[in-house]
Amino acid sequence: MNYVQLGRTGLHCAAVSFGGIPIQRSDAANTRAVVDALERYGMNYIDTARGYTVSEEYLGAALEGRRDKFLLASKSMVRDYEGMKRDVGISLSNLRTDYIDVYQLHNLPLKDFDQAFGPQGAYRALAEAKAEGKIGHIGVTAHSADALRKIVEEYSDRIETVMFPYNIVENQGEEILRLAREKGMGTIAMKPLAGGNLDDWKLALRYVAASDAIDISIPGMGSPEEVERNATAAEDLSPLTEQELEQCQAIRKELGSQFCRRCGYCAPCTVGIDIPNNFLMANYLRKYDLADWARGRYAGLAHHAGECVECGACESRCPYQLPIREMLKGVAAEFGY
Ligand code: SF4
Ligand code: SF4
């Protein structure tokens, strides 16, 4: 495993580390097997969140007795002082530790800056938790380039890490991430596999690792096999050849910018549609020559794209501004319901 320093935090992290979103679709036994694999392959940076339902709890149980082998990061979407104070306490309890290495303001949009950094804001609670030795470093995660720019340009004295989507088809944050690095902030690439939309994970992880804008990437992993797959890929993080760069260009052309990253922020759907899984099944139908399998899995979903009543509630929650209603119409047309 290649290790790199996460900006001025001084933390030495595996260049390809662990994103904990998929743990919420897992169980306690599988989480233990995932953490066993992380330990075996030296993937030492574990990122989770208060918002990932059971992820913190399952990881906490699996980390019992080996907490010191890992660096832990979590995050909360609350913006007020009392709420953040409470959430840091819950994260510590869930993760069964008295210290979390990095704690982040989760998915911070421009409109929340004044509250989060105000006198009664979440940042104050994080600064206090840091002074009390409960957390080591304070970070921010963002999905909009404007929010990322504001953090880097105006808050680099207080914020030590930034996490932002970065992959073959999403490099709109590259320039500002590079500036973040120059300012000593640690840079973390979320969604290095574009939410599972990039089939060639070796190429995808090498693309991110070769960037001078990124310190580490945290692909989401939900099984020991996925840990092994990414760890094996991480053994070779050599820069891309001319031919591979052309391959990336072709992928950009094919995928465009309107694709679901499977982050789940759009939930809950008014009529119960599992939006990312509807899109995923359509991807399988189109890309993997697994049409019959995809039709079977789609049939097993509780609610289908064709049931969308076009209320639009999900679209206001999607950080990528996807036209979910239109996209679901496409899914319904492809499957027929
Ligand atoms: S627009 Fe459709 S998919 Fe979105 S919340 Fe409403 S019913 Fe659900
Ligand atoms: S539709 Fe948007 S919010 Fe929902 S999972 Fe996909 S990218 Fe995330």
Side-chain angles (χ1 to χ4, degrees), residues 268-271 273 275 308-314 317 324-325 328:
C269 160
T270 308
V271 297
I273 299 168
I275 295 167
C308 173
V309 295
E310 299 191 43
C311 67
C314 54
R317 294 190 288 259
I324 297 175
R325 288 172 284 191
L328 284 176

Side-chain angles (χ1 to χ4, degrees), residues 79 105-114 116-117 139-156 159 161-165 172-173 176-177 179-180 185 190 319 321:
R79 307 293 182 228
L105 289 155
H106 188 174
N107 189 18
L108 189 67
L110 275 182
K111 69 175 178 55
D112 288 357
F113 271 68
D114 285 349
F117 289 99
V140 168
T141 80
H143 289 86
S144 94
D146 289 346
L148 177 70
R149 182 172 293 282
K150 191 169 176 72
I151 295 158
V152 174
E153 289 182 346
E154 298 176 31
Y155 294 86
S156 64
I159 299 301
T161 66
V162 282
M163 187 195 292
F164 195 72
Q172 70 278 15
I176 193 73
L177 285 165
L179 177 65
M185 302 169 93
M190 67 165 104
Q321 286 92 43

